[in-house]
Structures are given as structure tokens and as C-alpha cells.
Amino acid sequence: MEEKYRRLKTIVEGEMEGASPAHDIDHVMRVYNLCLKLAKYEPDVDLDVLKTAALLHDVARTEEDKAGHSHVMNVDHAVLGAEMSVNILRELGYSEEKIEQVKHCIVVHRFRGNSPPKTIEAKILSDADKLDVLGATGIARSFTIGGECGQKIYSNIAIDKYIKENLAGGKPNGRITDPTKHSSNLEFETKFKHIPDKLFTQKAREVARERLEYMKQFFERLKREIEGRL
Ligand SMILES: [Fe+2]
Ligand SMILES: [Fe+2]
């Protein structure tokens, strides 16, 4: 990694101190590496913008988590992270044009509504961030989050019943109303399985399918073990 990016990583590491293991600097570096992998399959990627945005994309994550715990205000780490990045990048001598490009990638990396990624760099970052919830890494991350939320290792509730009882509006994409009733296998059924539909690049869809197959086998085996069949 070049000196410029090493400096950025150090700044981000400082901002993310005390972050959950699911969203810490190691997550940032996994996303960074995935971005580089996906970029190889796309033409005309500005690697400087992509690497910079990948390193900074969750810089405000700890702020959002702190605000969430205190219920003081509603912080969106994508919006706040983009704002924080402007000052960091100006100090590091980035051009205003580059800063704008990086900002776009960060603001839309968790897009759920009206502003989808417009540039190839933003699409790659969004894809890489989503791929990190899949595969062996995704399993490890979801159990980490589950532990933090006091969830069971496995829940054998019927999926339709679960959606009706614990997702807002009884809809499959509704918000979880009680996190303690959630579990990793339910997250797999309601969220992870649908990630390929949310990806923008061909290579990311390919990686997602392979990682999902691994997860499917893991959760099937977990069910068999829990039911005493293995
Ligand atoms: Fe994020
Ligand atoms: Fe992230």
C-alpha cells in the first residue's frame, strides 16, 4: 500500500477506535481488498478515487453507533462520513474534483432509496461492502452482531411467521422490530439471500453466488446438528 493510503488508514483507524468487530478497521481493509479485486473486471476505474473512498467509507461508523446507543440524534454514517472526508482529504492535498468523486462514493455506499451509485467507483464500493456480509466472513460477522444483540445461535421459527411477527409491516424487507428475536439463520433467509439483486457489477454477483452457496450449506448443517441429526 502506498504511503498516501497508509496515512489515510491511520486516520480512519483513529476515528474507528472502539468499533464493533463487525464494522472495524479490518472490515474496511476487507472492503478495500474486495474493491481492488472487482476493479480488475471493470474498464476505466479511477483507482485513486476507489481506494480513497474504500478507506474512508465507514469513517463515521463509530459516531453513528454512539448516537444510536444514546438515542440523542439520528446520525447517518454515510452522510457524516462524506462530510468528514472533505476536511481529511483537503488536508492531504486532494483536488476538489477528486474530493467530489470520493464523496459521492461514500454518501451512496449504503443507499436504500433514491440516490443509487452513479459512477463505477461508487458501484464497486457498494458491491464490495455488501459482499463482506457473505461467505465465511459474513457468518463470523453475523454471529458477532448476534452476540452483541443477545440473539440465539439458531432460531427455528417458520420464516413466514417470523416476518409477520418481527419485521415492520409484516413485510420481508421491513425493519427488525425486536433484535433479540432475530438470529443469523433468519438474517440469511430474509437478507443475505437477496444481496445479489442489490449488486451492480457482474463479478460481484459471481462472488456473491459462490459465498451464498457456502452459507447455505453452513446453515443447513447447523440445523441438522441442532436437531441431533448429525
Ligand atoms: Fe457503511
Ligand atoms: Fe462498510
Side-chain angles (χ1 to χ4, degrees), residues 23 27 57-59 61 64 76-78 106 109-110 129 141:
H23 296 118
H27 158 71
H57 82 280
D58 276 339
V59 68
R61 183 82 221 189
E64 179 176 311
D76 181 336
H77 77 273
I106 299 174
H109 86 267
R110 61 136 40 155
D129 197 38
R141 274 186 80 183

Side-chain angles (χ1 to χ4, degrees), residues 164-184:
K164 210 179 280 174
E165 289 175 3
N166 205 34
L167 298 187
K171 291 187 185 130
N173 56 354
R175 207 173 31 82
I176 298 161
T177 44
D178 181 354
T180 64
K181 294 205 173 86
H182 199 57
S183 63
S184 295

Side-chain angles (χ1 to χ4, degrees), residues 78-180:
V79 175
L80 181 63
E83 283 166 23
M84 286 166 71
S85 299
V86 174
N87 295 332
I88 295 170
L89 296 178
R90 277 191 187 139
E91 278 195 23
L92 291 176
Y94 278 69
S95 71
E96 290 302 313
E97 193 199 337
K98 275 268 157 85
I99 292 174
E100 273 311 306
Q101 288 172 277
V102 171
K103 258 179 82 180
H104 171 68
C105 296
I106 299 174
V107 171
V108 300
H109 86 267
R110 61 136 40 155
F111 115 93
R112 295 193 180 111
N114 304 324
S115 51
K118 290 193 189 99
T119 61
I120 187 62
E121 296 81 15
K123 287 175 185 171
I124 291 174
L125 175 60
S126 173
D127 283 2
D129 197 38
K130 290 193 178 70
L131 288 180
D132 196 54
V133 307
L134 302 180
T137 313
I139 293 170
R141 274 186 80 183
S142 78
F143 281 107
T144 302
I145 296 167
E148 288 169 0
C149 296
Q151 294 169 6
K152 289 184 181 194
I153 285 176
Y154 188 85
S155 169
N156 64 359
I157 186 171
I159 195 72
D160 292 349
K161 185 170 153 64
Y162 173 75
I163 292 172
K164 210 179 280 174
E165 289 175 3
N166 205 34
L167 298 187
K171 291 187 185 130
N173 56 354
R175 207 173 31 82
I176 298 161
T177 44
D178 181 354
T180 64

